[in-house]
Amino acid sequence: MDIKIAICDDINEMCVCIENKVDGILKNKSIGYEIDIFNSGEELCRKLDEIRYDLIFLDIEFPKMDGIEIGKYIRKIKKDNITQIVYVSGRKEYAMELFQVRPIDFIVKPLEDKQLERAIDIYIDIMGGMKNFFEYRKSYSHKKVELYKIMYFIRDNRKVTVVTSEEKDTFYESLEKVYERVKQYGFLFIHKSYLINYRYIETIRYDSVTMTDGTEFSISQSRRKEIRKRYMEIMSSQI
């Protein structure tokens, strides 16, 4: 399956430059792709009403709607936590603002091939996790769901509810055992009853988190320091 890529920069020559470099990198890796170019955030956002891109290379400085606003539109308005964003900018001072958007990389202009290849390699690594499934038994059936779609797990005695971006289901298993199976994919065990996917965190506070669907969970007092540390490690590795 081809990777659907969008490149958005108000300078068309920069879009073409990124396109040519990405073209060479992906051909060298024998990966199929489709690329669309946009010269404004408004144009990209209109297209996002029709299509979801797998990977977006996004400038930050635009005359009107800037790249951070576009990222927030993708995450908060479109509720899209699957599309991966790589910011491209001539300035370095945006790191903290970007936490809300959760980009996988930040490239500083002028562009270098190794920077773009690094971003693509990060995307490929993430997609490796996205292609994995969480499998569980329910009654006499065997079920599986794509890991990247799972928002969180909730324990109620011996029963576990798995909530995805599309539906929810219940099964019987220890939440500790579930955590052992998913922790390498960015899941945080914030409470003895809550196991969450960091990609769907809308807001994190010292003692609680709010997910992109509006659900709020408390963080166990004994886990707060470690959860904060782990979350910052994950987010820092993405920028």
Side-chain angles (χ1 to χ4, degrees):
M1 182 181 294
D2 290 349
I3 303 174
K4 292 183 174 63
I5 299 172
I7 300 170
C8 187
D9 195 300
D10 57 332
I11 301 174
N12 194 61
E13 290 79 4
M14 179 58 64
C15 290
V16 173
C17 176
I18 296 173
E19 180 181 27
N20 289 337
K21 290 179 182 295
V22 169
D23 172 85
I25 293 167
L26 292 177
K27 282 183 177 177
N28 188 52
K29 295 178 181 292
S30 299
I31 296 174
Y33 61 92
E34 300 173 8
I35 296 180
D36 290 333
I37 287 177
F38 302 92
N39 295 129
S40 74
E42 294 83 354
E43 184 185 5
L44 172 59
C45 289
R46 284 193 295 271
K47 190 65 176 181
L48 291 173
D49 289 334
E50 305 172 14
I51 187 174
R52 183 180 68 78
Y53 288 99
D54 300 306
L55 179 61
I56 299 177
F57 290 93
L58 182 59
D59 189 20
I60 294 182
E61 297 87 12
F62 287 96
K64 294 182 180 179
M65 186 180 193
D66 68 32
I68 295 174
E69 290 178 283
I70 298 165
K72 290 178 180 179
Y73 176 81
I74 293 170
R75 299 293 188 235
K76 296 184 178 182
I77 305 301
K78 301 299 294 181
K79 300 295 183 182
D80 179 357
N81 292 279
I82 306 304
T83 294
Q84 302 301 321
I85 299 172
V86 174
Y87 277 112
V88 181
S89 175
R91 299 165 64 184
K92 301 179 181 180
E93 64 269 24
Y94 291 102
M96 294 308 297
E97 295 179 72
L98 302 185
F99 271 100
Q100 298 179 63
V101 179
R102 302 181 293 281
I104 62 170
D105 207 353
F106 183 94
I107 296 175
V108 179
K109 299 175 184 177
L111 298 178
E112 295 181 9
D113 289 358
K114 64 181 181 180
Q115 293 176 302
L116 285 165
E117 185 162 13
R118 178 192 65 195
I120 290 170
D121 284 342
I122 292 171
Y123 172 78
I124 291 171
D125 285 344
I126 291 172
M127 284 304 296
M130 288 182 172
K131 291 177 182 176
N132 287 316
F133 290 87
F134 177 78
E135 302 183 24
Y136 60 96
R137 293 190 62 83
K138 183 172 182 180
S139 298
Y140 298 101
S141 62
H142 184 82
K143 305 188 73 173
K144 64 181 183 178
V145 60
E146 295 97 328
L147 268 169
Y148 76 89
K149 290 183 179 180
I150 297 175
M151 301 174 69
Y152 47 83
F153 297 89
I154 301 176
R155 170 165 51 193
D156 182 9
N157 294 319
R158 292 177 53 244
K159 182 172 66 176
V160 173
T161 297
V162 53
V163 179
T164 76
S165 55
E166 299 172 348
E167 58 184 356
K168 64 175 63 176
D169 198 7
T170 58
F171 60 96
Y172 289 91
E173 187 174 345
S174 159
L175 197 59
E176 286 77 11
K177 290 183 178 179
V178 173
Y179 177 60
E180 288 302 313
R181 294 204 277 143
V182 303
K183 64 182 180 181
Q184 64 179 305
Y185 301 111
F187 283 78
L188 302 173
F189 205 171
I190 64 170
H191 185 281
K192 67 179 181 179
S193 298
Y194 312 133
L195 177 56
I196 66 172
N197 186 340
Y198 90 92
R199 295 179 180 85
Y200 291 92
I201 294 175
E202 178 75 33
T203 306
I204 184 166
R205 292 169 289 276
Y206 178 66
D207 59 353
S208 65
V209 297
T210 301
M211 308 302 286
T212 56
D213 67 348
T215 302
E216 185 171 331
F217 294 118
S218 59
I219 303 174
S220 294
Q221 185 172 358
S222 61
R223 304 183 191 209
R224 289 171 186 170
K225 185 176 180 180
E226 178 59 28
I227 291 299
R228 190 74 178 182
K229 177 183 176 183
R230 179 65 184 135
Y231 180 74
M232 295 297 286
E233 287 174 348
I234 292 174
M235 295 307 298
S236 295
S237 71
Q238 305 301 312
I239 297 177

